[in-house]
Amino acid sequence: QKEVEQNSGPLSVPEGAIASLNCTYSDRGSQSFFWYRQYSGKSPELIMFIYSNGDKEDGRFTAQLNKASQYVSLLIRDSQPSDSATYLCAVNIGGATNKLIFGTGTLLAVQP
Amino acid sequence: ETGVTQSPTHLIKTRGQQVTLRCSSQSGHNTVSWYQQALGQGPQFIFQYYREEENGRGNFPPRFSGLQFPNYSSELNVNALELDDSALYLCASRVGLNNEQFFGPGTRLTVL
C-alpha cells in the first residue's frame, strides 16, 4: 500500500462547478497535511495546509481532514480554467526530519 | 514568490558524470529539504539539512550528498549519474511551526 494515495485523474469539471480532490494516507501518526498545486513544467505551489479534524476554508478552497478515516480532501468552488493543474497531496508524519510524503497527484481539467 | 531560488534552471549531463545543484533560501530559513520529482510522480524526499547538518534522509544512495552553508544556501551533489536520475530537483525551506514548505522553481536535470 502506498503511503499517500490519490486518484491520478484526469478529473474534468465544467467552469463554475465544485472540484473535489481526495487523498488517503496510511500512517496514523501523520500530523499535518498539505495541498500543493503544480502547473505543467513548474514547481509545486502550496495552497492549503490543515492539521486538525474538520474543515479549513481559504477563499475558494476548503481543505477537509478526517483522521479517523485517514482521509483528506480539497474542494475548489467556482472552478476556473486557471485552476487546471496537478494537485499534490502531501503528509508530514512528524519527527526530526519533517519530511513530506507526496501522492502522485490528481490532474484537474476545468472546461470553459 | 517563495524567496527560494535555484540554479541552474536546466542541465544536461551524460551518464557517469557528476552534478551540483544550488539553492538559496530566505534569511532565517534554517532548514532546507531536497526532493526529486520524476515525470508523472510526486516529489520524493532526498534529505534535509538543519543548521548545516544533515538530519534526515530518504531512500537515496550515498552518491546523493549535500551541503548547507551559513548564508542559507545549499547544494545537492550527485555522483556517477544514472539515466534514472533524470528528474526535476526541488529544494524547499521550512517556515514556522506548521512545517509549511515552500519550493523553489526547481532544476530540470536530464541524463543522457
Side-chain angles (χ1 to χ4, degrees):
Chain A
Q1 180 188 7
K2 292 183 179 178
E3 293 177 277
V4 179
E5 294 205 49
Q6 296 180 256
N7 188 320
S8 61
L11 173 65
S12 182
V13 301
E15 184 174 355
I18 296 174
S20 178
L21 303 160
N22 304 314
C23 173
T24 58
Y25 59 95
S26 61
D27 191 325
R28 286 195 172 274
S30 300
Q31 297 185 356
S32 48
F33 307 85
F34 303 83
W35 283 99
Y36 286 84
R37 176 175 63 197
Q38 187 172 28
Y39 292 112
S40 181
K42 301 295 185 181
S43 66
E45 173 192 8
L46 179 66
I47 54 174
M48 290 286 288
F49 69 89
I50 187 168
Y51 49 84
S52 298
N53 275 326
D55 295 359
K56 179 182 179 182
E57 185 174 319
D58 183 1
R60 295 187 296 113
F61 299 99
T62 298
Q64 299 175 318
L65 174 61
N66 184 326
K67 288 188 176 181
S69 300
Q70 295 174 246
Y71 177 93
V72 58
S73 65
L74 179 71
L75 301 178
I76 306 175
R77 290 181 298 281
D78 188 23
S79 295
Q80 302 297 310
S82 58
D83 294 326
S84 298
T86 295
Y87 288 80
L88 294 161
C89 172
V91 172
N92 169 236
I93 60 173
T97 63
N98 291 302
K99 75 176 183 180
L100 296 179
I101 302 172
F102 283 84
T104 55
T106 298
L107 178 61
L108 172 66
V110 181
Q111 308 299 326
Chain B
E1 291 295 323
T2 64
V4 182
T5 59
Q6 292 186 247
S7 63
T9 304
H10 297 88
L11 201 53
I12 299 175
K13 291 286 189 178
T14 56
R15 195 170 47 183
Q17 285 189 311
Q18 179 267 342
V19 68
T20 296
L21 310 181
R22 294 179 172 84
C23 172
S24 179
S25 304
Q26 284 181 331
S27 175
H29 292 188
N30 51 20
T31 300
V32 64
S33 301
W34 285 90
Y35 291 79
Q36 179 197 67
Q37 186 177 23
L39 200 61
Q41 302 297 315
Q44 297 288 316
F45 176 77
I46 302 175
F47 45 55
Q48 176 177 293
Y49 277 79
Y50 174 70
R51 293 185 176 178
E52 303 168 47
E53 296 285 334
E54 182 183 304
N55 75 334
R57 189 175 186 93
N59 294 325
F60 282 82
R63 60 188 184 84
F64 285 78
S65 63
L67 287 170
Q68 186 186 26
F69 303 101
N71 65 352
Y72 305 104
S73 65
S74 175
E75 289 182 355
L76 165 64
N77 299 289
V78 187
N79 293 322
L81 284 166
E82 300 178 359
L83 298 179
D84 285 348
D85 296 333
S86 295
L88 179 67
Y89 288 85
L90 300 159
C91 78
S93 61
R94 177 184 174 190
V95 176
L97 298 176
N98 296 306
N99 195 35
E100 307 101 303
Q101 294 188 35
F102 297 93
F103 288 99
T107 294
R108 173 75 60 188
L109 173 64
T110 301
V111 182
L112 302 176

